[in-house]
Amino acid sequence: MSEEITYAAAGVDTAEGARAVDAIKETVHSTYRPEVVGDIGGFGGLFSIAAAKGMEDPLLVSGTDGVGTKLKVAQLVGKHGTVGIDLVAMCVNDILACGAEPLFFLDYIAIGKLRREHVAEVVAGIGEGCRQAGCALIGGEMAEHPGVMDPDDYDLSGFTVGVVDRPKMLDPESVREGDVLIGLASSGLHSNGYSLARKVCVEGKSAEELLAPVDALDGNSVGEALLTPTRIYVKQVLSVLAECPKAVRALAHITGGGITENLNRALNSQVNAQVDLGTWPVPAIAKYVCEAADLSEGQALKTFNMGVGMILIVDPDRVDEVEAALAKAGETTYRVGRIVAGAGEVEYTGEGNLYGYEG
């Protein structure tokens, strides 16, 4: 007689999966909004569209993304509590670019060997990201992949849906010559450029080396600096859009491709964005990585956010109003340039002054 080979014997522990779901319930519940219907555990997440009732022409806006190879840093140093924030941030900041309010979020965790404590740590970060963004975590999937992934390996992806009233939607076609660029400070590299950062700062180093203090990073370690979570700008920006209607023309989320390859996405074909280098501080970790890679200014500006996580394109007559509203929301801002006549491209002034901010 042949020996019975169960699913667990093949490497998938459904009982541990059930325990992991129990371990994350409190985190999930902490993100709920009044529109959430039911609870986790069903075949689909339920969410009322009541938030759109007062809108003239509501549009659903969706976004999906992952964390990328930043996860490899987390896995190497054994710190998994913040990458979930990154996951939420990459999705909700994207849909914010058209003025949308994120309503709910779903995650997908692919993991070599499922352990409830590990999953609970990751999901705690996802829950924190959802609370920062004001959206509900209404579902997700934990998939164990024995034989495909190493036991300690995992990957994350996420999906968000938001809503915006079409008449209030931010639109690059409304951008015009003379508009002002307001940059919002980033917290570091956020979740982009990590294949390069890992190559020059992580490869060949032990966890102990990556957690040792570094003077050039203000006493922080490389591991800590690289794992600083992506900032979520949702509540601050939405409050400004509500307080200063029509003052913000368009918005760019500065992700992979840096300022050069993201700010142009908020332009129309009749204008350029002229960015003044040296008008904002570059985070220590960004300078550290760029120096380690011997990156030129041009390459740095199309690889990393270099200290600016979002750029608002603002009516010049209302810049003071918008800056005051952002300050009221607790946001640090910098006037980083202007809109000029052009063809939908990003240009720079002050070449050689990227690291020259003096405050």
Side-chain angles (χ1 to χ4, degrees), residues 24-33 36-41 45-47 84 87-88 92 102-109 119-120 122-131 133-141 157-161:
I24 67 173
K25 278 187 175 180
E26 185 175 344
T27 293
V28 172
H29 291 161
S30 73
T31 72
Y32 277 5
R33 296 166 47 125
V36 175
V37 178
D39 202 353
I40 60 171
L46 301 175
F47 193 91
L87 180 64
V88 177
V92 298
L103 299 176
F104 60 83
F105 190 86
L106 296 96
D107 63 71
Y108 178 84
I109 304 173
V119 169
V122 173
V123 175
I126 296 173
E128 172 60 22
C130 287
R131 289 190 295 272
C135 62
L137 178 58
I138 64 169
E141 172 71 5
S157 58
F159 178 88
T160 191
V161 170

Side-chain angles (χ1 to χ4, degrees), residues 34-293:
E35 301 96 334
V36 175
V37 178
D39 202 353
I40 60 171
F43 288 102
L46 301 175
F47 193 91
S48 167
I49 59 171
K53 282 183 178 178
M55 295 184 177
E56 180 182 336
D57 185 7
L59 298 177
L60 293 179
V61 185
S62 60
T64 185
D65 211 333
V67 181
T69 62
K70 186 173 185 175
L71 292 176
K72 290 298 182 183
V73 182
Q75 291 163 19
L76 181 57
V77 302
K79 294 182 179 294
H80 313 285
T82 59
V83 290
I85 301 175
D86 292 302
L87 180 64
V88 177
M90 295 304 290
C91 296
V92 298
N93 286 341
D94 269 356
I95 70 167
L96 178 63
C98 69
E101 176 192 0
L103 299 176
F104 60 83
F105 190 86
L106 296 96
D107 63 71
Y108 178 84
I109 304 173
I111 193 165
K113 179 63 178 176
L114 197 153
R115 299 188 301 276
R116 58 179 166 176
E117 297 86 359
H118 184 181
V119 169
E121 186 178 2
V122 173
V123 175
I126 296 173
E128 172 60 22
C130 287
R131 289 190 295 272
Q132 289 184 25
C135 62
L137 178 58
I138 64 169
E141 172 71 5
M142 293 177 284
E144 206 167 9
H145 289 335
V148 175
M149 304 175 74
D150 292 335
D152 292 330
D153 195 13
Y154 66 95
D155 196 12
L156 303 177
S157 58
F159 178 88
T160 191
V161 170
V163 65
V164 64
D165 200 355
R166 191 194 295 263
K168 298 179 181 179
M169 188 170 65
L170 302 181
D171 184 4
E173 289 303 318
S174 69
V175 175
R176 62 197 67 171
E177 190 175 349
D179 287 347
V180 176
L181 307 179
I182 297 180
L184 306 185
S186 73
S187 56
L189 302 189
H190 284 183
S191 298
N192 301 106
Y194 275 77
S195 293
L196 173 58
R198 286 173 46 244
K199 185 173 183 63
V200 298
C201 295
V202 175
E203 283 186 5
K205 292 183 172 62
S206 66
E208 291 74 18
E209 289 174 307
L210 291 174
L211 292 174
V214 176
D215 289 342
L217 298 176
D218 304 319
N220 293 315
S221 69
V222 171
E224 289 168 337
L226 289 177
L227 289 177
T228 301
T230 305
R231 291 200 60 219
I232 293 174
Y233 301 95
V234 171
K235 291 181 179 179
Q236 305 93 302
V237 171
L238 288 180
S239 70
V240 171
L241 296 181
E243 189 173 332
C244 311
K246 301 296 184 181
V248 179
R249 314 248 202 231
L251 188 156
H253 180 203
I254 310 302
T255 56
I259 295 173
T260 305
E261 297 181 0
N262 283 286
L263 182 52
N264 62 330
R265 299 164 67 184
L267 306 176
N268 58 60
S269 61
Q270 305 301 310
V271 297
N272 280 1
Q274 189 177 77
V275 178
D276 300 326
L277 300 182
T279 55
W280 72 88
V282 175
I285 184 61
K287 185 177 182 181
Y288 184 85
V289 172
C290 290
E291 288 181 346

Side-chain angles (χ1 to χ4, degrees), residues 342-359:
E345 300 174 351
V346 178
E347 58 186 72
Y348 296 96
T349 67
E351 185 177 351
N353 200 37
L354 176 60
Y355 303 107
Y357 179 76
E358 296 181 357

